[in-house]
Amino acid sequence: MAKSGTHSRWATSRAPNNSQIAEAEIIFASATSMEYVRTGLVAGLFVQAMCVWAADPEVLRPRVPNDQIGTARQLQNPLPPTPEMIAKGKALFEGKGFCRACHGQDGKGLTGPGIEPGSLAGPLPRDFTDKGWQVRRTDGELLWILKNGSPGTDMGPFIPLVVSEEEAWQLIHYIRSFGNSK
């Protein structure tokens, strides 16, 4: 994690452009140690800030393979983010999609009383209330994950086995609603 005293400098650095984001994600995804990421030269402060934003460095690493991420990021949710669509997504999240079983009713993943940090093996289910994660992942990336699973985690594919593509877009609207809380 970041050394104390440096957080405010990183947090106030200017926003990166798309090229810097892409370069930083490549470094971040291939880094073998957090020290390398913290001192990475490409995208400078942005790479450092990525380490500050998330408690788990895996949160910001793209799950979509490098050769497919450009295409995934271009996909946009064709459904409007209306209260009706969000409500349909919530019904799927809590019901047939069984997302709640891993991500929790509050969307925070497996957290809370009785779950000690480090007591579970492997990456924990994503915390959908994490604003840094919400900003970093596009709707197209989330759809890709629902179709293909999340490499490096226990999440498998859900389209078309559990939900249709249209239902997945509804789920994504509901997942986005967690980023508006707090």
Side-chain angles (χ1 to χ4, degrees):
M1 286 305 299
K3 297 175 185 171
S4 61
T6 58
H7 174 75
S8 61
R9 176 175 62 89
W10 293 346
T12 59
S13 62
R14 65 180 172 73
N17 62 38
N18 286 338
S19 175
Q20 289 173 313
I21 291 171
E23 289 177 287
E25 286 183 337
I26 290 168
I27 286 176
F28 196 75
S30 62
T32 56
S33 75
M34 286 309 297
E35 188 58 32
Y36 173 74
V37 173
R38 269 199 292 285
T39 59
L41 297 176
V42 177
L45 292 177
F46 180 62
V47 173
Q48 294 173 347
M50 286 173 65
C51 296
V52 173
W53 289 342
D56 176 1
E58 286 293 303
V59 169
L60 297 178
R61 184 177 66 76
R63 297 293 177 197
V64 180
N66 288 337
D67 65 334
Q68 298 174 46
I69 198 159
T71 302
R73 285 184 174 158
Q74 290 177 8
L75 293 174
Q76 294 189 5
N77 196 329
L79 304 176
T82 62
E84 178 188 6
M85 286 297 141
I86 294 168
K88 287 181 178 184
K90 179 179 182 178
L92 290 162
F93 186 92
E94 294 179 349
K96 143 179 177 176
F98 62 90
C99 312
R100 187 172 86 175
C102 295
H103 294 283
Q105 182 173 355
D106 60 2
K108 292 184 178 189
L110 294 176
T111 60
I115 299 176
E116 295 297 321
S119 65
L120 300 172
L124 295 177
R126 193 61 55 236
D127 176 356
F128 295 141
T129 67
D130 181 330
K131 291 187 186 301
W133 176 84
Q134 285 274 355
V135 168
R136 299 296 304 131
R137 298 289 66 88
T138 67
D139 287 356
E141 288 175 89
L142 299 182
L143 184 73
W144 187 96
I145 291 167
L146 288 169
K147 282 185 176 182
N148 299 284
S150 183
T153 74
D154 288 334
M155 183 169 169
F158 279 70
I159 301 170
L161 304 171
V162 180
V163 296
S164 69
E165 188 166 315
E166 181 176 350
E167 290 171 324
W169 287 122
Q170 294 167 359
L171 273 167
I172 290 168
H173 278 313
Y174 182 63
I175 289 166
R176 292 299 189 197
S177 76
F178 287 113
N180 297 327
S181 59
K182 283 189 181 179

